[in-house]
Amino acid sequence: MKAIKYTFLAVVSSLALTACMDNYESLPADEFTTEYLFSTTDSLGKQARQYLNSIYDIMENGHNRVGGYYLDAASDDAIPIDMDGEPDVLRIATGRFTASNSVASDMRWGQYYTGIRKVNILLSGIDKVPYRDTYRNALGQVRTLGVSFRAEARFLRAWFYFQLLRRYGGVPLVGDKVFELDDDIELPRNTFAECVDYIVSELDDIKDSLRSVGTLSNVAEFAHAPTKQACQALKSRVLLYAASPLFNGNTLEAGNELVGYATYDAHRWALAADAARELMEGEGHLGKDSVTLTEDVRDVFLNFYDYGANPELIFFRQGGDGTSVENNNGPLGFTGSRLGNGRTCPTQNLVDAFPMADGRMRGDSPMYTYSDADPYANRDPRLDKTILHNGSQWLGTTLATWQGGTNNPANGADYSLTSYFMCKFMGKFQTVSEYSSVHHVWVMFRYAEILLNFAEAENEAKGPTPDVYDALYKLRERAGIKRGTTDGYRYGLKLDMTQDEMRQTIRNERRIELAFEEHRFYDIRRWRIAEQVFAKPLQGMQIVEGQGGATYTRVDVLKVNFDARYCLYPIPYSEVIKNRNMVQNPNWN
């Protein structure tokens, strides 16, 4: 009888035997035997389901995930409220980490390989369970529940590998092998290309074995399992990254196939566009409207009980009912149940990225004149659904977010240096007087991202085609921007853009549409623009209240010296020192 441990025997790719021993859990050996986990009398698959659920638990819920903050507070879109301490996001943003002094809350090498090992354990015995229950796969075929468990587990493994890939480049691929103590685990890194090919082949192989949005029969099914559309969405994201400059033509080290492709290939953009198009068109098995945009973008992050009313949601992790997001990130100056700690403070850089209400950028709108005296008037409606600013309505109050104001008191330990607070994932608490329980979900894939993935890849492959424009039109129409009648513009977009003009437009649209969803941090790296982005100081708004009203002045709040090597994390030193075959990333010791 062979005992199976819930945690890693080793961080499979590289930990030495002594490190493996440290990762055992002190639980009774017979509690996790193969006979127990894959019982031939468990027709409901209860033990296997519990084990699969433990693998799901390794997936991140991004709300205040990185040391209490959103990952975007390590980008140019936000800063942490605690600037005197050393929160993880500030260490990441300013490069205060090394291979031996890592940022554990985001690097997560060991956690992902733990997940990969647990998937392989599940796959090694799942077929022994005599499942009684059945389900319908994406093709409408009836299959035993074990087929779904196997496909779900492989999806999770593909997700873990992608998380490693975008953090580190190529990593060791272990296949389906479950490593034991006497195995040789000094595995070399696979190339970036091999990792991409493996992830994509896995997703292609399992997509029809998963359920689809069109075959979901109840909320429980929708709430826990990836669908075919989630599989397609992950493939879209993987191929978009693979086509991007960081990995395709502007790698950190020329010829180093661990950190990208040896040579540039424009066809990779076409592959990424085709992957997004496949989901958008439903591949013939579903109607094109099976996954589409939700009417109000705020509902995407709050409503999964009625998935018919939230067709944008593709894959997510559940959060508990409560007010944790509001209490962590809401504006200061409230007490009791209305308490907010303002942890993630958006920058002026992000605020400036939002266009005017007609979709034209500040200073370019013939309809709305931007005024420094009233900087938030007549802006893209997404601004007020993302960021709380001076004069915003919140908890039945007009916010005073200037430093020293009611909602940004400067006499405490911490206050917002930018004069902004985040509200994107919060309930609709503009006019009510108290917070009430909200079911927050962490959205991992939604249809808006697929539209943006497609627009970016298609523009890089073919230029600004009508299909590229159409993807952006959909997002802007949902945002509340009017089509407009001005010659030469639709939804605020110039009709005769060059490829580079469209590239910049798409990048900005990603920034504002997907703000705080853990995209900006990676986008500026994969585009290889992080150096120039951080060449400009991160800014906030200094607001002074006077008898004639408020005056607004941009002020610098953080200067970041970005080194190109930060585009990828260093392989943890503990991995390199214990594995003679492990090669460190460029310019890291």
Side-chain angles (χ1 to χ4, degrees), residues 11 15 20 60 68 72 96 125 138 166 174 195 209 216 263 322 325 365 368 376 387 397 406 425 509-510 553 565 575:
V11 175
L15 281 181
C20 298
E60 306 96 325
D72 286 50
R96 296 206 295 270
R166 69 175 177 174
V174 301
C195 291
S209 294
L216 294 174
T263 57
V325 174
S365 171
Y368 302 107
Y376 314 117
I387 295 171
T397 300
T406 302
F425 307 115
E509 198 74 13
R510 280 185 72 92
T553 306
R565 64 178 175 161
E575 307 296 308

Side-chain angles (χ1 to χ4, degrees), residues 281-316:
E281 295 183 351
E283 218 182 31
H285 300 309
L286 300 167
K288 290 188 180 182
D289 293 333
S290 295
V291 181
T292 188
L293 295 177
T294 298
E295 184 175 349
D296 185 343
V297 68
R298 290 174 295 189
D299 291 335
V300 175
F301 310 102
L302 302 173
N303 175 19
F304 83 91
Y305 290 108
D306 182 5
Y307 56 81
N310 193 0
E312 186 168 345
L313 199 56
I314 295 175
F315 189 57
F316 63 95

Side-chain angles (χ1 to χ4, degrees), residues 63-64 68-70 324-332 340-344 388 421-423 426 435:
H63 291 302
N64 297 101
Y69 293 93
Y70 286 87
S324 60
V325 174
E326 289 77 13
N327 295 142
N328 274 320
N329 304 286
L332 305 176
N341 290 308
R343 297 183 67 82
T344 298
L388 294 174
F421 300 102
M422 188 203 73
C423 67
M426 300 183 194
Y435 290 136

Side-chain angles (χ1 to χ4, degrees), residues 70-121:
Y70 286 87
L71 180 62
D72 286 50
S75 76
D76 59 329
D77 279 356
I79 61 172
I81 196 169
D82 178 13
M83 294 290 286
D84 294 326
E86 198 174 64
D88 285 356
V89 288
L90 192 58
R91 288 181 59 205
I92 294 171
T94 56
R96 296 206 295 270
F97 59 89
T98 66
S100 57
N101 183 21
S102 65
V103 182
S105 61
D106 191 55
M107 291 186 172
R108 294 177 61 84
W109 176 283
Q111 291 94 322
Y112 293 132
Y113 271 112
T114 296
I116 290 165
R117 176 179 170 82
K118 294 180 78 167
V119 168
N120 289 351
I121 289 173

